[in-house]
């Protein structure tokens, strides 16, 4: 019984560690983009709340939009057409997430240009790091 408990605790700590690393990478990436774009925010906590909210909302919306994109791309032929459709779905997902989080947060104000650039950068990054299966 003790061995099973140790395994469960160990796996839980490992999962928390991995999720923490992913969140840190996401946080520092968004922070770097904000610095490059000159986005002003009230405090580091408002930035943390923005990033966590965008991450969680992005996961939820991406479940639906990602499935819709896969269903759409499945019926297409041609790499360029597939890439354009994936890009448009990814951009729409990122745009919705950024617009929604920005609408609910008063401590970070993003201009329209910043929202567009941030959505484009995130979409390019997602497509770049996307795992492609070889057919």
């Amino acid at each position: 019984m003790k061995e099973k408990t140790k395994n469960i605790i160990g796996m839980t700590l490992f999962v928390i560690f991995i999720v923490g690393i992913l969140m840190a990478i996401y946080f520092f990436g968004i922070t770097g983009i904000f610095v490059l774009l000159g986005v002003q925010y009230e405090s580091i906590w408002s930035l943390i709340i923005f990033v966590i909210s965008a991450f969680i909302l992005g996961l939820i919306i991406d479940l639906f939009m990602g499935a819709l994109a896969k269903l759409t791309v499945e019926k297409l032929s041609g790499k360029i057409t597939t890439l354009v459709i994936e890009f448009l779905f990814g951009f729409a997902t990122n745009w919705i997430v950024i617009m929604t989080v920005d609408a609910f947060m008063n401590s970070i104000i993003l201009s329209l240009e910043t929202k567009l650039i941030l959505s484009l950068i995130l979409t390019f990054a997602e497509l770049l790091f996307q795992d492609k299966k070889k057919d």
Side-chain angles (χ1 to χ4, degrees), residues 1-39:
M1 188 68 171
K2 286 184 180 182
E3 186 68 29
K4 190 174 186 179
T5 304
K6 287 181 184 178
N7 286 340
I8 291 172
I9 291 172
M11 287 301 292
T12 303
L13 290 175
F14 181 71
V15 168
I16 290 171
F17 178 73
I18 297 298
V19 169
I21 288 175
L22 291 175
M23 285 297 298
I25 291 169
Y26 191 75
F27 174 76
F28 288 120
I30 296 292
T31 303
I33 292 170
F34 277 9
V35 168
L36 290 174
L37 296 176
V39 174

Side-chain angles (χ1 to χ4, degrees), residues 69 73 81-94 119-124 126-127 130:
V73 167
T81 306
T82 301
L83 185 64
V84 168
I85 296 299
E86 286 178 350
F87 179 83
L88 290 174
F89 272 101
F91 180 78
T93 301
N94 290 324
S119 296
L120 285 171
I121 291 171
L122 290 174
T123 305
F124 280 126
E126 288 172 2
L127 287 176
Q130 184 175 329

Side-chain angles (χ1 to χ4, degrees), residues 101-119:
V101 173
D102 184 51
F104 286 105
M105 289 195 67
N106 296 328
S107 57
I108 296 179
I109 307 294
L110 300 174
S111 67
L112 179 61
E113 294 84 15
T114 303
K115 292 174 191 173
L116 284 171
I117 293 170
L118 187 59
S119 296

Side-chain angles (χ1 to χ4, degrees), residues 5 7 9 34 41 45 53 55 57 68 87 89-90 96 125 135:
T5 304
N7 286 340
I9 291 172
F34 277 9
Y41 45 89
W45 288 108
S53 300
F55 185 78
L57 185 61
L68 191 58
F87 179 83
F89 272 101
I96 291 168
D135 294 329

Side-chain angles (χ1 to χ4, degrees), residues 35-56:
V35 168
L36 290 174
L37 296 176
V39 174
Q40 301 291 320
Y41 45 89
E42 289 180 6
S43 68
I44 192 72
W45 288 108
S46 61
L47 184 60
I48 290 171
I49 292 170
F50 181 89
V51 170
I52 290 172
S53 300
F55 185 78
I56 293 170

